[in-house]
Amino acid sequence: MYHKAGGNGPWIFPKTIRDSMEIARELSFRYLWVDRYCIDQDDKDDQHTQIAQMELIYSSVALTIIAAAGKDPASNLPSINGTTRTKQQVLRVDSHIFAQTLPHPNWSLTHTTWATRGWTYQEGILSHRRLIFTTEQVLWECDSMNCLEALDLPLDAMHTRDRSRFRAHVPPGSFTNKSPGSVSYDVMRYVSEYYERDLSYPSDAINAMRDIFKTFVASPSKVYHICGVPVLCSVPKTELNSAPNALEQSFLRGLFWHHSEPGRRRIEFPSWSWAGWEDGKIHPEFYRPEWLFNEQFYGIGVSIEDTNGRLHRIPERPCFPAFANSVGDHAKFIHIDAWTLD
């Protein structure tokens, strides 16, 4: 992690951290949050406490620095402290100048080691302001607009009249999804993006996605989850009034997630959850959107078996949060009581 140079010498931090400290000083920030130092890696209780607050941490920071140029903390941040970066090729022919175009911000970010790590997904999505260092240039992106060094864009023309955000026709920047929870149906889009990332510890499959789910729970439409399986509450009022147990039925519909490319079993979680699989790809939508809320599952009872073998019937909305917490993320079996036909 870090070590002393010897005796009473200074602490020696990896290059990415030292470069980030320089950025913080240049921007007059008093504090710099680095997960690996601010969360005690040897204290499981502290890890659990901090993980539960990451949504608050990411959404409250003044700026998130994304090191998209390197592969590990020992890498440099291009253009900081004399570190060079890939030069933009320019050719002058007589009075004409031909300049090489740089990769699109989204391509620059998605083709990096940073974009393959599971824990960085929440960092990018939940932060409101991001300073992205790629091998070619520095990118700025917030929830409303994005800028890049290589282009001098007419920002006034690109903004809406009240200057609150870019106009709808302006191409997105590095992040195409930045507002989790705003549309309940989108929950599988975030799950599918996160699913393609790598984790050092398979047991973190839901932990590294937990704060994205929290934004859906806090939204007006409310989307809960059981072991990662979405439980959507934004069903029509007529259906809520007529359904014997709306959340029980919504959980059954949540099981409609599916692979678009085959995956492999991850035994730490149940097979009926996407967290119980790795590799391959998950489709960003359920099978058919119209199946989600236009069909009723009458006469069906659903219970979740916890790790102690006890059965828990899925309750209605007021009791559901406590139920989801008590079941935990490692329930193995679903028990379904239903009519069958020969």
Side-chain angles (χ1 to χ4, degrees):
M1 294 173 63
Y2 57 87
H3 62 279
K4 275 193 173 181
N8 295 320
W11 292 99
I12 304 301
F13 294 95
K15 187 64 167 64
T16 297
I17 308 305
R18 300 203 304 274
D19 288 348
S20 298
M21 294 169 66
E22 178 65 22
I23 295 170
R25 281 194 292 264
E26 290 290 331
L27 295 176
S28 300
F29 291 148
R30 295 184 61 191
Y31 303 102
L32 176 68
W33 172 279
V34 182
D35 289 350
R36 66 188 305 182
Y37 303 134
C38 297
I39 300 177
D40 189 342
Q41 304 299 312
D42 299 320
D43 188 333
K44 296 300 181 183
D45 291 334
D46 183 63
Q47 283 185 323
H48 178 76
T49 300
Q50 297 291 350
I51 288 173
Q53 301 182 85
M54 293 312 293
E55 186 274 334
L56 178 62
I57 293 171
Y58 289 139
S59 62
S60 300
V61 297
L63 178 72
T64 294
I65 299 171
I66 296 178
K71 296 183 178 180
D72 53 50
S75 303
N76 301 321
L77 290 183
S79 75
I80 303 298
N81 287 326
T83 302
T84 59
R85 51 186 174 179
T86 303
K87 292 187 64 175
Q88 185 175 16
Q89 301 298 313
V90 177
L91 175 65
R92 182 185 296 273
V93 179
D94 297 329
S95 60
H96 301 284
I97 296 178
F98 299 89
Q100 175 195 34
T101 58
L102 297 181
H104 186 277
N106 182 264
W107 190 97
S108 294
L109 188 64
T110 55
H111 288 74
T112 63
T113 300
W114 181 90
T116 66
R117 297 174 53 215
W119 279 101
T120 61
Y121 184 69
Q122 295 184 147
E123 173 184 298
I125 296 296
L126 297 176
S127 299
H128 295 304
R129 289 166 293 277
R130 312 158 188 87
L131 192 63
I132 307 167
F133 286 81
T134 71
T135 56
E136 299 91 6
Q137 61 180 322
V138 179
L139 312 171
W140 158 267
E141 187 158 338
C142 65
D143 290 346
S144 301
M145 62 175 287
N146 58 88
C147 300
L148 55 160
E149 285 186 283
L151 292 178
D152 184 8
L153 300 173
L155 297 181
D156 286 336
M158 298 173 70
H159 274 86
T160 56
R161 180 172 298 180
D162 62 1
R163 296 182 62 84
S164 62
R165 60 181 57 251
F166 270 179
R167 297 181 184 274
H169 68 271
V170 177
S174 302
F175 294 85
T176 54
N177 300 321
K178 293 182 289 191
S179 302
S182 56
V183 180
S184 59
Y185 294 94
D186 285 344
V187 63
M188 284 308 302
R189 182 186 305 175
Y190 291 91
V191 170
S192 66
E193 286 186 347
Y194 164 73
Y195 178 83
E196 295 184 37
R197 298 193 171 209
D198 301 325
L199 292 167
S200 299
Y201 303 99
S203 58
D204 285 334
I206 293 180
N207 278 338
M209 182 69 181
R210 191 176 302 280
D211 288 299
I212 300 293
F213 279 123
K214 286 174 65 175
T215 63
F216 279 92
V217 171
S219 68
S221 57
K222 292 195 180 303
V223 179
Y224 298 108
H225 76 96
I226 299 177
C227 294
V229 174
V231 181
L232 283 69
C233 298
S234 55
V235 296
K237 289 185 177 180
T238 55
E239 183 173 323
L240 274 175
N241 294 334
S242 62
N245 188 331
L247 292 190
E248 191 172 76
Q249 296 193 36
S250 186
F251 171 69
L252 290 173
R253 296 179 179 113
L255 295 175
F256 278 48
W257 71 267
H258 63 290
H259 281 97
S260 57
E261 294 181 11
R264 296 184 297 109
R265 274 290 281 128
R266 178 187 281 147
I267 61 174
E268 289 83 0
F269 296 92
S271 61
W272 42 268
S273 168
W274 56 265
W277 298 84
E278 58 184 336
D279 294 336
K281 293 184 179 181
I282 287 181
H283 200 279
E285 297 178 354
F286 297 97
Y287 264 124
R288 296 260 307 273
E290 61 267 32
W291 289 359
L292 286 176
F293 302 123
N294 293 340
E295 299 294 337
Q296 291 291 329
F297 300 106
Y298 288 105
I300 297 179
V302 183
S303 299
I304 306 295
E305 181 179 325
D306 64 21
T307 54
N308 296 316
R310 294 188 295 261
L311 296 183
H312 302 267
R313 182 75 182 264
I314 295 179
E316 272 296 359
R317 186 181 301 190
C319 302
F320 191 88
F323 163 79
N325 289 333
S326 65
V327 169
D329 298 330
H330 297 275
K332 292 295 183 183
F333 303 105
I334 307 172
H335 292 250
I336 299 178
D337 297 320
W339 291 97
T340 61
L341 296 175
D342 290 337

